[in-house]
Amino acid sequence: MCAGDDKNCPDFELHHRQFKETLDRERRSFLRSSFAAAGGAAAMTAGGISLVTPKMAAAAEKHQPAQRSYHHLPANADTVHWGYFSKTLKPRVEINSGDFITIEALTHHANDDAERMVTGDPGVESVYLWTKEKKGVNRRGAGPMDASLFGRGPGEGLGVHICTGPVYVRGAEEGDVIELRIIDVAPRPCANPKYPGKAFGSNAAAWWGFHYKDLITEPKPREVVTIYEVDATGERNWARAVYNFTWTPQTDPSGVVHKTIDYPGVPVDHSTVKENHGILKNVRIPVRPHFGVIGLTPKEADFVDSIPPSYTGGNIDNWRIGKGATMYYPVAVEGGLLSVGDSHASQGDSELCGTAIECSLNGTFQVILHKKADLAGTALEALDYPMLETKDEWLVHGFSFANYLSELGPKAQSEIYNKSSVDLALRDAFRKMRKFLMTTKKLTEDEAISLISLGVDFGVTQVVDGNWGVHAVIRKDIFAGGES
Amino acid sequence: MCAGDDKNCPDFELHHRQFKETLDRERRSFLRSSFAAAGGAAAMTAGGISLVTPKMAAAAEKHQPAQRSYHHLPANADTVHWGYFSKTLKPRVEINSGDFITIEALTHHANDDAERMVTGDPGVESVYLWTKEKKGVNRRGAGPMDASLFGRGPGEGLGVHICTGPVYVRGAEEGDVIELRIIDVAPRPCANPKYPGKAFGSNAAAWWGFHYKDLITEPKPREVVTIYEVDATGERNWARAVYNFTWTPQTDPSGVVHKTIDYPGVPVDHSTVKENHGILKNVRIPVRPHFGVIGLTPKEADFVDSIPPSYTGGNIDNWRIGKGATMYYPVAVEGGLLSVGDSHASQGDSELCGTAIECSLNGTFQVILHKKADLAGTALEALDYPMLETKDEWLVHGFSFANYLSELGPKAQSEIYNKSSVDLALRDAFRKMRKFLMTTKKLTEDEAISLISLGVDFGVTQVVDGNWGVHAVIRKDIFAGGES
């Protein structure tokens, strides 16, 4: 089934009308929302100090059309790329600085329970389409298309996330910074009429998890998938487990047997697994909707594995990258080429078992371009890592390797999986926070180091994404005594 | 000058009267406080689920006298041990389960600015007394008394913290658990009339800091001490920097030259250092008063370095171990032998430069003994690590080595400094949280692992205490749906 954008589809007219209606509903809903009513983006930064000063905002506005546009980028087989970032991709939409855009993000774990996460949803169905003859999205990863490496399927071995995009930001060039304001995040409702008002997600405790070689009960090792239910209205702030099952070998439509979770989107045949219901009874998982993957496209390689996060963002997996947060990314290629994916209903710092509650979400963003020439002497000058700002805090993201693509040489994309440690990520986070305080707050190195020891908290972002992460958090009100 | 406890002092009568008056004032103040008025300790746990169930509390009460006593353990040369825990120490006070006690804790960095942190304070002066002929406290560390190792002074090389105690808890035996409720924490006011209403602390960015070999500005390497001012009333919730100075070689009263900060309590001669005032201008450090060191005494060695934290607690350096928190410690030796030290006005997760705002504090505690026989089937059964409970959260403390004294063999106390990593501490924290959820909440391993990935945050406690730490935090309201 097409998503209203395949003119060869016999039902194109019907689908296209449906798609336009959905889009219009989203847009009207957005414009009516309390956000817009309260003064829109201008109201966002009123609560605290922002890295973007009024002067910087004025400079950025010069590059913006007078009229803001609103865009909607649905997720379907034509608008996603699966498992990689690539500067060779054709942009799915072009926008201007200042524009708003709703981007639908799909979880790459939807086929763990197709009945709850795929069935009846045209966009998801078009992406997950996989018969012996045809795949809606053939390449799933940055690996070889002939699947010679492991024989699992095209793109195998490197990358897993369904990414919607890329979005081309007009005027963006290397050295610029893109400010991405996350205006709203909402769960994608289940389209199966059996489950009205609900959304679902999957948590896979998988072979790449930190726990995997450290299990204490039998059978060992094992991979366990837990399906969670989320309130689709977003009003109930906790999720609950529905059931879990231990992964058994699954034969995909191409005939390949997957003994472990080794290829994205393999459909799970529920007649081959034992569903354990009544688990995690009375446990309420705090919901923290966010995007595991948001990033611009790096320049170092044509196809870049979506798993390891790096200097242009990507799979950072910080649960704070949700509604109300602002991210700053350095632009590496023309147009920036922004993509969004790996949406999560909930995750703890460390994402220990390998995944979060992987759950499709819609995000509404405003994109602001800051030109390199306007950044001299500002907090964003020479930004070379993805930076997070919330109402109350600034966060820098440290990785085991700040830019593994350039640091680890030609084999970077495989080497990164063998060389990560939290110690290295902590050191990178320390260096970035020191730089931030010295450049943004004009502290001496000794002032910065003392302040870091007393007022900065370091947390383990994730230890499962190849390039492990540590984030450093500093509260804005530390500077409430006035600018240094 | 004696602290009212040296009968050979010519002014013993006067000092003893002063000491008793101070103690009475503390006691009256405590009994009058809003804490006591609000129903005392019983009110503490009303806000949330506690690990101690009513049944456990009833079992514990059987070992308590009907009447609670209140004790005051001042800090002076006779009540502190410097740089080590030891099962050979004579207890400074004996208390019953259920009793309250105020323990004065002194910073071991007071001599970085004696004028602000030593002068005029009899207790501190008695501890820091050091002339060519005499030291108030001679041994400073778990190392050799003949100082043959480095020639710095007695006890050199292993341990730094001034610990007040030990407190003997009647009836405590190996296998029991001591619950320590932190009722109140208050800064120790500066006794120098030049600085009324203020308290001070020192932050040393020292050679054992995570930053030390990674400095970017000259001169390299260097150690920098920053003196901070804290509101002694505890009403202003931020601290500010007064000045900093770069460490220069200091000659101690015994004639030993200290090129670096290599021996505890070396007096800094301020005529030899350059004070830089006007630093960290307008920066407000959030105050989080807590105790870096609280611990029972381990059984594995006669003298145990105070720096590496371990299974009986000690130098955990978690800023959440402050007012309102409850710690649970496994008892390793008869009486438990509780000591308190390394008091901090403020610290961030990681304590990156090597120290916090090291600042003398008074703590008021209630001590509850839980006998091994009463723990079967409870959350505290077979507890083998220091556990933290706050109103809203439970925290387990992971270390690079859960019990380095037994794991690293006869040379454990030196080996530990070469073998730590955050990765190891993260693994230990994961294992402890998994055990906690499986035993306390009766989850299966698969349920526990999924919950950890979604609802548990892992933070870097410290990377400077030899045995590095990671804490795992879980919110109590996750279980608000009812007990599993």
Side-chain angles (χ1 to χ4, degrees):
Chain A
M1 181 176 169
C2 88
D5 47 2
D6 176 5
K7 290 193 178 165
N8 298 321
C9 170
D11 292 325
F12 169 72
E13 285 302 329
L14 173 65
H15 294 161
H16 192 67
R17 198 167 62 242
Q18 284 172 346
F19 166 68
K20 293 289 283 181
E21 278 169 9
T22 305
L23 194 157
D24 285 349
R25 199 161 55 240
E26 290 267 359
R27 182 190 288 134
R28 282 197 307 272
S29 156
F30 169 73
L31 293 175
R32 265 204 319 274
S33 73
S34 57
F35 165 77
M44 276 192 73
T45 53
I49 314 164
S50 168
L51 292 183
V52 177
T53 61
K55 192 175 165 194
M56 289 168 74
E61 276 199 9
K62 281 189 205 157
H63 309 288
Q64 298 169 6
Q67 183 71 37
R68 307 270 183 265
S69 295
Y70 170 74
H71 312 262
H72 185 114
L73 185 62
N76 57 52
D78 292 326
T79 59
V80 305
H81 44 108
W82 196 329
Y84 60 93
F85 286 86
S86 176
K87 61 187 178 188
T88 71
L89 281 169
K90 187 173 160 289
R92 265 51 185 176
V93 60
E94 290 197 13
I95 68 172
N96 289 313
S97 177
D99 283 358
F100 293 87
I101 183 166
T102 294
I103 302 175
E104 299 179 8
L106 301 186
T107 173
H108 53 294
H109 281 268
N111 250 350
D112 290 344
D113 185 335
E115 184 183 275
R116 287 178 170 85
M117 291 184 275
V118 179
T119 303
D121 188 318
V124 186
E125 286 182 348
S126 75
V127 171
Y128 275 91
L129 172 69
W130 189 358
T131 64
K132 201 175 169 78
E133 293 75 31
K134 192 182 176 195
K135 277 162 88 180
V137 182
N138 197 24
R139 172 185 275 282
R140 302 186 180 185
M145 279 300 277
D146 65 0
S148 57
L149 203 54
F150 303 106
R152 297 174 199 153
E156 63 174 7
L158 294 169
V160 293
H161 308 98
I162 299 172
C163 299
T164 309
V167 177
Y168 184 97
V169 182
R170 291 189 186 108
E173 298 169 294
E174 187 175 355
D176 298 344
V177 167
I178 280 181
E179 173 190 354
L180 187 79
R181 299 174 177 176
I182 306 176
I183 309 293
D184 200 14
V185 183
R188 186 182 186 96
C190 174
N192 187 330
K194 282 173 71 175
Y195 307 104
K198 291 177 180 170
F200 294 94
S202 171
N203 170 250
W207 58 267
W208 62 88
F210 190 81
H211 71 292
Y212 188 66
K213 291 180 180 164
D214 197 1
L215 290 164
I216 50 177
T217 57
E218 295 297 340
K220 291 185 285 194
R222 64 184 177 277
E223 295 179 301
V224 176
V225 173
T226 309
I227 303 300
Y228 285 86
E229 179 192 303
V230 177
D231 176 19
T233 68
E235 285 176 8
R236 196 184 67 201
N237 67 355
W238 48 273
R240 67 177 157 218
V242 185
Y243 67 90
N244 70 12
F245 64 86
T246 301
W247 185 272
T248 54
Q250 298 293 320
T251 306
D252 71 31
S254 304
V256 176
V257 178
H258 301 270
K259 290 187 181 172
T260 60
I261 305 173
D262 63 359
Y263 189 71
V266 171
V268 172
D269 176 356
H270 278 252
S271 71
T272 69
V273 299
K274 181 177 169 288
E275 294 184 4
N276 305 300
H277 289 257
I279 58 161
L280 286 161
K281 222 175 134 190
N282 299 319
V283 166
R284 298 178 171 189
I285 308 285
V287 165
R288 301 165 162 175
H290 62 278
F291 298 93
V293 169
I294 307 182
L296 304 184
T297 299
K299 65 177 177 183
E300 285 76 3
D302 279 352
F303 284 81
V304 177
D305 183 349
S306 68
I307 296 174
S310 191
Y311 72 107
T312 51
N315 190 31
I316 298 176
D317 278 326
N318 186 339
W319 58 261
R320 297 159 191 83
I321 304 179
K323 183 172 176 169
T326 296
M327 289 291 299
Y328 301 92
Y329 301 97
V331 175
V333 299
E334 190 192 308
L337 299 185
L338 168 75
S339 295
V340 178
D342 192 30
S343 39
H344 293 167
S346 208
Q347 187 212 297
D349 279 335
S350 86
E351 203 183 12
L352 192 123
C353 82
T355 60
I357 296 182
E358 308 285 329
C359 173
S360 299
L361 299 174
N362 297 332
T364 298
F365 309 90
Q366 187 182 24
V367 179
I368 312 278
L369 175 65
H370 297 280
K371 295 297 294 177
K372 185 178 181 180
D374 298 331
L375 297 178
T378 76
L380 298 177
E381 182 178 13
L383 183 77
D384 57 0
Y385 56 87
M387 167 116 203
L388 170 56
E389 178 172 81
T390 70
K391 189 166 74 66
D392 299 320
E393 298 165 339
W394 291 300
L395 286 95
V396 302
H397 291 103
F399 305 116
S400 294
F401 297 89
N403 180 347
Y404 73 99
L405 291 167
S406 73
E407 288 169 72
L408 296 183
K411 291 190 175 174
Q413 297 207 49
S414 52
E415 286 295 300
I416 185 63
Y417 288 100
N418 304 319
K419 296 198 165 174
S420 277
S421 85
V422 187
D423 297 317
L424 289 172
L426 177 67
R427 186 155 300 283
D428 188 41
F430 154 61
R431 289 175 176 169
K432 284 168 175 168
M433 181 54 81
R434 175 176 59 187
K435 180 182 169 190
F436 174 74
L437 293 172
M438 291 176 72
T439 58
T440 303
K441 295 296 170 184
K442 314 292 182 212
L443 301 184
T444 66
E445 185 178 25
D446 294 330
E447 290 175 301
I449 286 171
S450 186
L451 177 54
I452 289 170
S453 196
L454 307 178
V456 173
D457 289 325
F458 291 81
V460 178
T461 327
Q462 52 72 28
V463 285
V464 293
D465 292 342
N467 199 8
W468 294 3
V470 164
H471 51 270
V473 189
I474 190 162
R475 293 170 57 101
K476 293 180 180 179
D477 63 9
I478 282 178
F479 304 97
E483 287 299 301
S484 301
Chain B
M1 181 175 168
C2 88
D5 48 2
D6 176 4
K7 291 194 177 162
N8 298 321
C9 169
D11 291 325
F12 169 72
E13 285 302 329
L14 172 64
H15 293 162
H16 192 66
R17 197 167 64 242
Q18 284 173 344
F19 166 68
K20 293 287 282 180
E21 278 169 9
T22 304
L23 193 157
D24 285 348
R25 198 161 56 239
E26 289 266 359
R27 183 188 288 134
R28 283 197 305 274
S29 156
F30 169 72
L31 293 176
R32 265 202 320 272
S33 73
S34 57
F35 165 76
M44 276 191 72
T45 53
I49 315 164
S50 168
L51 292 182
V52 178
T53 62
K55 192 176 162 193
M56 290 169 73
E61 276 200 11
K62 281 189 204 156
H63 309 289
Q64 298 169 6
Q67 183 70 38
R68 308 270 185 266
S69 294
Y70 171 74
H71 311 262
H72 186 113
L73 185 61
N76 57 52
D78 292 326
T79 60
V80 304
H81 45 108
W82 196 329
Y84 59 93
F85 285 87
S86 177
K87 59 188 178 187
T88 70
L89 280 170
K90 189 173 158 292
R92 266 50 185 177
V93 59
E94 290 197 12
I95 69 172
N96 290 313
S97 176
D99 282 358
F100 293 86
I101 183 167
T102 295
I103 303 175
E104 299 179 10
L106 302 185
T107 173
H108 53 293
H109 281 270
N111 250 350
D112 289 344
D113 185 334
E115 184 182 275
R116 287 177 170 86
M117 289 184 274
V118 178
T119 304
D121 188 319
V124 187
E125 285 182 346
S126 76
V127 170
Y128 274 91
L129 171 70
W130 188 357
T131 64
K132 201 176 170 77
E133 295 75 28
K134 194 183 173 194
K135 276 161 86 179
V137 181
N138 196 24
R139 171 186 275 283
R140 302 187 181 185
M145 279 302 278
D146 65 0
S148 56
L149 202 55
F150 303 107
R152 298 173 198 154
E156 63 174 6
L158 294 170
V160 293
H161 308 98
I162 299 173
C163 300
T164 308
V167 176
Y168 184 98
V169 182
R170 292 189 186 110
E173 297 169 295
E174 186 175 357
D176 299 344
V177 166
I178 280 180
E179 173 190 352
L180 188 78
R181 299 174 177 176
I182 306 176
I183 309 292
D184 201 14
V185 182
R188 186 182 186 98
C190 173
N192 187 331
K194 281 174 72 174
Y195 306 103
K198 291 177 179 170
F200 294 95
S202 171
N203 170 250
W207 59 266
W208 62 87
F210 190 82
H211 70 292
Y212 188 65
K213 292 180 180 165
D214 198 0
L215 290 164
I216 49 177
T217 58
E218 296 295 342
K220 291 187 285 193
R222 64 185 177 276
E223 293 179 303
V224 176
V225 173
T226 308
I227 303 299
Y228 284 87
E229 178 191 302
V230 177
D231 176 20
T233 67
E235 285 175 11
R236 197 184 65 201
N237 66 356
W238 47 273
R240 66 176 156 220
V242 185
Y243 66 92
N244 70 11
F245 63 87
T246 300
W247 184 272
T248 55
Q250 297 293 319
T251 306
D252 72 31
S254 304
V256 176
V257 178
H258 301 271
K259 289 188 181 171
T260 61
I261 304 174
D262 63 358
Y263 190 70
V266 170
V268 171
D269 176 355
H270 278 252
S271 72
T272 68
V273 298
K274 180 176 170 289
E275 294 184 4
N276 305 299
H277 289 256
I279 58 162
L280 286 161
K281 220 174 135 190
N282 299 321
V283 167
R284 300 178 169 190
I285 309 283
V287 166
R288 302 163 161 177
H290 63 279
F291 297 95
V293 169
I294 308 182
L296 304 183
T297 299
K299 66 179 177 182
E300 284 76 5
D302 279 353
F303 285 81
V304 177
D305 182 349
S306 68
I307 296 173
S310 192
Y311 72 107
T312 52
N315 190 32
I316 298 176
D317 279 325
N318 185 339
W319 58 261
R320 297 157 191 85
I321 305 179
K323 183 171 177 170
T326 297
M327 288 291 298
Y328 301 92
Y329 301 98
V331 175
V333 299
E334 191 192 306
L337 301 184
L338 168 76
S339 294
V340 178
D342 193 30
S343 39
H344 294 167
S346 208
Q347 186 212 300
D349 278 336
S350 84
E351 203 184 10
L352 192 123
C353 82
T355 61
I357 297 183
E358 309 284 330
C359 172
S360 300
L361 300 174
N362 298 334
T364 298
F365 309 90
Q366 187 182 26
V367 179
I368 312 278
L369 176 65
H370 297 280
K371 295 297 294 177
K372 185 180 183 179
D374 298 332
L375 298 178
T378 76
L380 298 177
E381 183 178 12
L383 183 78
D384 58 0
Y385 57 88
M387 167 118 204
L388 169 57
E389 178 173 82
T390 70
K391 190 166 73 66
D392 299 320
E393 299 164 338
W394 291 300
L395 286 96
V396 302
H397 291 104
F399 305 116
S400 294
F401 297 90
N403 179 346
Y404 73 99
L405 291 167
S406 73
E407 288 170 71
L408 295 184
K411 291 189 174 173
Q413 298 206 48
S414 52
E415 286 295 301
I416 185 63
Y417 289 99
N418 305 319
K419 297 196 166 177
S420 277
S421 85
V422 187
D423 297 317
L424 288 172
L426 177 67
R427 187 155 297 282
D428 188 41
F430 154 60
R431 289 175 176 170
K432 284 168 175 168
M433 181 53 80
R434 175 176 59 185
K435 180 182 169 188
F436 173 74
L437 293 173
M438 291 176 74
T439 58
T440 304
K441 294 296 169 184
K442 314 293 183 211
L443 300 184
T444 65
E445 185 178 26
D446 294 329
E447 291 174 300
I449 285 172
S450 185
L451 177 54
I452 289 170
S453 196
L454 307 178
V456 173
D457 289 325
F458 291 81
V460 178
T461 327
Q462 51 74 27
V463 285
V464 293
D465 292 342
N467 198 9
W468 293 2
V470 164
H471 51 272
V473 190
I474 190 164
R475 294 171 57 99
K476 292 181 181 179
D477 63 8
I478 283 178
F479 303 97
E483 286 300 300
S484 303

